[in-house]
Amino acid sequence: MIPDKTPVEKDVYHAAPEVVNGAHVPNFQKYKDLYSESIQNPEVFWGEIAKDYYWKTPKTGNFLDYNFDLTKGKIYIKWMEGATTNICYNLLDRNVNEKKLGDKIALYWEGNDPGDCMQVTYKELLQQVCKFANVLRTHGVKKGDRVSIYMPMIIELVVAMLACARIGAIHSIVFAGFSAESVCERILDSHCSLLITADGFYRGDKPINLKQIADEALRKCRQRNFPVRKCIVKKHLGVTEATEETCTDKVSSNAQSPPAKRSCYNLQDKDNKKAKNVHREMQTPWNADVDIWWHDLMKEASDECAPEWCDSEDPLFILYTSGSTGKPKGVQHTVGGYLLYTATTFKYVFDYKPGDVYWCTADIGWITGHSYLVYGPLANGATSVMFEGVPTYPNVSRLWEIIDKYKVTTFYTAPTAIRLLMKYGEEPVKKFSRESLKILGTVGEPINPEAWLWYYNVVGNRKCPIMDTFWQTETGGHMITPLPAAIPLKPGSASFPFFGVVPAILNESGEELEGVGEGYLVFKKPWPSIMRTIYGNHQRFETTYFKKFPGYFVTGDGHLLSTAEVESALIEHAAVAEAAVVSHPHPIKGECLYCFVTLRDGHEFTETLICELKDQVREKIGPIATPDYIQNAPGLPKTRSGKIMRRILRQIARNEKDLGDTSTLADGAVIEELFNNRCKTA
């Protein structure tokens, strides 16, 4: 008997009963036994897993020590404190020397253009990482230093981050779609001593002059009295550097370009207007006092570099995520626990077997790329696909073409991408066989039943279980997820907690609710890859995640861009007195941003102003944060204490007239005006 469900959910049950009803779950009891052991005896469970990796010295204290209760003192989490290791050694040296995987492909790199590709073996990757690690040491980078990386999805991005890990430096990767202001803000917050970037890249047919954005970020840093001493530049597009007429800084006399790596347009065709425009736009500005070419530094660098042995609790990287105050939080992860958890979740969630070819479509600028494109797969000696492009370029069959090209067995992507490709129908998918696929995965947001059904039936040919994973930047790895052949699959639900994870739902009073319901998702015990602090602000870490419910780790907004960050950008415009931003359903992206702005006296709400506000957000944060809707709001719904009632704004944005309890609303007159001014939404 099918329980009460929406029509689409009923369709899922009828269309995929073998998945929903558990025919694919012969190992459910095994999962329950392992889960029970991971909760009751975490030292034994994780201790056995730790034996698979190299530790220079054993732990000196408890295997696990922590305090989640702010009323009992400082919040801290320590796994295997005193044990020393190097995560780069475990990802590369161990696989090359001990497991004899040197000739195995570590990464298939697929460029923006279909004909642009390369492959890198574990041995080659180790050599490149060692060379760049020596480059960093030559430039004074040492253990504990912070290094900012602002690069497109190229192999050198992986080399740079692992080179940092090899010498104990802390990498801070900034998504290549972020603005100069965002790059500057992150450099300043973590006091990065060096920036690594590239000349540029293409996103589809759009050229992005990354070096120009990086230069603007460094200029902003200098204005704020924090000059970054060196900027290492990878020549990715192979376009010659600018002349003195086209850049503000003097061109270095020894800044010689390497041979072109790729050319998306014929830049030598003088009759090709588009080619000339692209050539002009992609010229590389150069400051000889700061900039150094990657290829020049790598020429003479040795391919042998001894690893820096780090304590299990030493910082590995900082990754910024949106904060409720509008200032991004520098989430800090550590070496030992992050290694154990990302390696283990990758192995079990994707049922990894030697010979599999795994593809995570996420950008390394996000936590998914860190954990499940670099660290997790390489720790298991896996072969991965790394993709520079977008799903719709040069056509909407690009992803399925790549799956066939590399015989991908495991495909991990976002519901946003699935919904985008759904609208083109089944034909672009079925042009390619996808016979190699065994497991599908989703990440970033819950997948709606319609998309789940299409993903299962069309992309997976009704034979691939879907791993719908819930986790966050703060968690480091999968928290709630199915497991292949072990946990029943449920469309739109991440299912069961991973090993060592103890979730709960609390009401406003902090009481645990039975089952799943409306409330706060919390975790009762630490897992190895839990964040340890917010860089430079442990008090904010305690307040954000532990103050509301002592004894619990409280989840935040996760991967969704913080509305507070967008509000801060809007308010910086001279015409805006106040702004409130809420999420709004979107047929492709799942969620988009709907903004309410209150103008200062003397300013009019016009289409020109809307464009200026969108440009303001793009400049302050990046194109990824551009609002879909901006509405004029002469007044905002507030409580008598002055707090904006965002629940009501979400309902107005969705044109939901039943607002429920409005007894705490200070001025009910603003509601009708807000409804009258609503944007026409999709």
Side-chain angles (χ1 to χ4, degrees):
M1 180 177 177
I2 299 174
D4 290 339
K5 295 186 178 296
T6 67
V8 172
E9 287 175 316
K10 289 180 180 179
D11 287 344
V12 172
Y13 268 65
H14 286 303
E18 69 276 21
V19 174
V20 176
N21 295 331
H24 286 337
V25 293
N27 297 318
F28 187 49
Q29 186 58 49
K30 183 178 180 181
Y31 157 78
K32 290 197 294 184
D33 292 342
L34 282 171
Y35 178 76
S36 178
E37 180 185 348
S38 72
I39 300 304
Q40 295 174 11
N41 299 296
E43 296 86 355
V44 174
F45 181 86
W46 293 108
E48 282 299 310
I49 291 173
K51 292 177 182 177
D52 291 338
Y53 302 95
Y54 179 79
W55 305 89
K56 184 72 171 177
T57 60
K59 65 180 179 64
T60 56
N62 295 329
F63 195 91
L64 169 62
D65 190 15
Y66 74 99
N67 173 41
F68 268 17
D69 191 341
L70 197 53
T71 66
K72 296 180 179 178
K74 181 180 178 180
I75 300 296
Y76 66 90
I77 307 103
K78 298 176 182 178
W79 285 84
M80 297 181 64
E81 188 179 24
T84 57
T85 188
N86 182 281
I87 197 168
C88 178
Y89 183 93
N90 277 289
L91 269 55
L92 300 180
D93 305 64
R94 175 176 137 273
N95 281 319
V96 171
N97 300 320
E98 297 175 25
K99 297 187 176 293
K100 308 303 180 186
L101 298 178
D103 294 330
K104 183 177 181 178
I105 303 299
L107 292 166
Y108 287 113
W109 181 79
E110 177 80 7
N112 182 65
D113 279 358
D116 197 7
C117 56
M118 64 184 294
Q119 61 189 41
V120 179
T121 66
Y122 272 86
K123 182 179 179 181
E124 291 167 341
L125 185 57
L126 173 60
Q127 290 172 336
Q128 291 300 304
V129 167
C130 284
K131 291 183 74 170
F132 197 67
N134 284 324
V135 166
L136 292 177
R137 279 179 168 164
T138 299
H139 282 82
V141 179
K142 58 186 182 302
K143 180 180 177 181
D145 287 351
R146 280 76 58 206
V147 175
S148 181
I149 304 175
Y150 183 54
M151 302 183 83
M153 285 286 284
I154 55 178
I155 295 293
E156 289 80 8
L157 171 53
V158 179
V159 170
M161 63 193 296
L162 293 183
C164 289
R166 191 168 191 86
I167 65 174
I170 303 167
H171 60 73
S172 172
I173 298 176
V174 183
F175 172 56
F178 277 162
S179 67
E181 179 66 27
S182 292
V183 178
C184 169
E185 187 174 40
R186 286 153 174 77
I187 289 174
L188 293 175
D189 186 74
S190 54
H191 299 90
C192 293
S193 59
L194 184 141
L195 174 64
I196 306 167
T197 190
D199 55 348
F201 65 102
Y202 282 89
R203 186 167 181 81
D205 60 0
K206 180 182 179 182
I208 308 294
N209 194 325
L210 202 64
K211 177 60 163 58
Q212 195 172 69
I213 301 171
D215 282 355
E216 175 64 13
L218 295 183
R219 184 188 67 79
K220 289 174 177 287
C221 287
R222 290 193 297 271
Q223 286 181 338
R224 299 174 196 180
N225 298 316
F226 189 84
V228 176
R229 63 175 186 261
K230 291 296 176 185
C231 177
I232 298 175
V233 186
K234 170 63 188 175
K235 177 66 72 175
H236 178 53
L237 292 180
V239 181
T240 56
E241 69 275 1
T243 65
E244 288 188 47
E245 295 177 353
T246 58
C247 70
T248 56
D249 292 313
K250 185 178 180 181
V251 178
S252 168
S253 60
N254 62 358
Q256 300 299 313
S257 290
K261 182 177 179 181
R262 61 188 55 73
S263 179
C264 294
Y265 300 104
N266 179 7
L267 301 182
Q268 305 305 315
D269 184 357
K270 302 303 181 183
D271 296 325
N272 185 338
K273 183 177 180 181
K274 185 174 185 180
K276 289 192 285 183
N277 289 340
V278 170
H279 184 262
R280 186 181 303 113
E281 184 172 353
M282 295 307 293
Q283 289 176 319
T284 307
W286 202 257
N287 179 353
D289 295 329
V290 175
D291 299 332
I292 323 168
W293 285 119
W294 174 293
H295 67 279
D296 284 338
L297 296 171
M298 293 286 275
K299 281 178 185 176
E300 306 300 325
S302 169
D303 62 5
E304 293 185 2
C305 177
E308 182 77 31
W309 301 110
C310 302
D311 188 278
S312 177
E313 284 299 314
D314 279 345
L316 172 63
F317 66 84
I318 300 166
L319 185 59
Y320 285 85
T321 188
S322 299
S324 58
T325 65
K327 177 180 171 61
K329 307 185 296 279
V331 172
Q332 184 170 295
H333 285 287
T334 53
V335 173
Y338 183 80
L339 167 64
L340 291 184
Y341 200 76
T342 54
T344 306
T345 47
F346 174 83
K347 177 180 178 180
Y348 282 97
V349 173
F350 300 118
D351 193 27
Y352 172 72
K353 301 289 190 298
D356 285 351
V357 177
Y358 164 82
W359 183 16
C360 170
T361 64
D363 193 287
I364 293 175
W366 305 114
I367 188 63
T368 304
H370 279 59
S371 298
Y372 298 114
L373 180 50
V374 181
Y375 286 107
L378 292 177
N380 283 276
T383 295
S384 295
V385 175
M386 181 179 181
F387 181 42
E388 181 188 27
V390 295
T392 55
Y393 180 82
N395 58 65
V396 296
S397 293
R398 184 70 187 279
L399 299 187
W400 326 125
E401 179 184 3
I402 293 172
I403 286 172
D404 278 9
K405 178 178 180 178
Y406 297 109
K407 295 180 170 56
V408 171
T409 58
T410 306
F411 181 61
Y412 192 37
T413 194
T416 301
I418 298 167
R419 286 190 292 267
L420 170 66
L421 296 171
M422 274 177 64
K423 72 178 185 179
Y424 298 103
E426 299 181 10
E427 193 270 336
V429 185
K430 292 186 174 179
K431 285 171 61 177
F432 298 90
S433 74
R434 296 152 286 110
E435 290 179 353
S436 59
L437 284 175
K438 296 190 301 183
I439 291 174
L440 302 174
T442 61
V443 61
E445 60 182 305
I447 182 169
N448 55 302
E450 296 97 327
W452 192 99
L453 180 62
W454 189 83
Y455 198 31
Y456 178 76
N457 285 335
V458 179
V459 177
N461 285 328
R462 296 175 56 84
K463 68 184 180 74
C464 301
I466 297 174
M467 302 298 105
D468 175 14
T469 60
F470 167 79
W471 60 295
Q472 300 172 312
T473 303
E474 292 91 337
T475 70
H478 301 145
M479 298 296 285
I480 302 175
T481 175
L483 295 179
I487 293 177
L489 305 181
K490 182 180 178 182
S493 171
S495 278
F496 284 75
F498 191 72
F499 304 129
V501 175
V502 187
I505 303 292
L506 304 184
N507 63 19
E508 189 68 42
S509 301
E511 299 166 327
E512 291 191 23
L513 303 176
E514 293 295 327
V516 177
E518 287 293 323
Y520 296 89
L521 174 62
V522 299
F523 296 104
K524 301 167 71 172
K525 292 185 177 182
W527 56 99
S529 68
I530 183 175
M531 67 181 292
R532 301 304 198 262
T533 192
I534 292 174
Y535 181 81
N537 196 340
H538 194 73
Q539 182 178 354
R540 187 182 182 195
F541 170 63
E542 294 178 328
T543 301
T544 303
Y545 301 102
F546 297 95
K547 185 176 181 179
K548 187 174 184 65
F549 300 116
Y552 299 93
F553 176 91
V554 183
T555 61
D557 290 334
H559 181 70
L560 185 66
L561 188 74
S562 169
T563 55
E565 199 172 352
V566 180
E567 288 170 4
S568 296
L570 290 169
I571 291 170
E572 288 188 32
H573 192 284
V576 177
E578 195 169 22
V581 180
V582 297
S583 63
H584 185 275
H586 189 282
I588 302 300
K589 296 184 285 187
E591 297 285 334
C592 66
L593 297 177
Y594 190 113
C595 307
F596 298 83
V597 295
T598 302
L599 302 185
R600 297 181 185 277
D601 290 342
H603 292 274
E604 292 185 10
F605 191 82
T606 63
E607 287 297 323
T608 300
L609 178 61
I610 291 174
C611 292
E612 288 179 6
L613 292 174
K614 290 183 177 182
D615 287 343
Q616 174 99 354
V617 174
R618 272 192 287 265
E619 197 275 331
K620 292 294 180 181
I621 304 174
I624 192 172
T626 305
D628 284 64
Y629 306 106
I630 300 179
Q631 173 180 333
N632 183 23
L636 293 173
K638 297 179 181 179
T639 64
R640 288 170 178 81
S641 63
K643 181 179 179 181
I644 295 173
M645 300 181 71
R646 285 178 171 79
R647 171 185 63 82
I648 290 178
L649 290 177
R650 279 192 292 271
Q651 291 174 288
I652 292 171
R654 299 175 191 192
N655 205 24
E656 297 173 358
K657 297 296 178 67
D658 183 3
L659 300 180
D661 181 15
T662 59
S663 59
T664 60
L665 185 62
D667 180 10
V670 302
I671 300 298
E672 184 177 357
E673 189 169 25
L674 288 172
F675 271 114
N676 290 337
N677 289 342
R678 270 192 77 255
C679 299
K680 185 178 180 180
T681 58

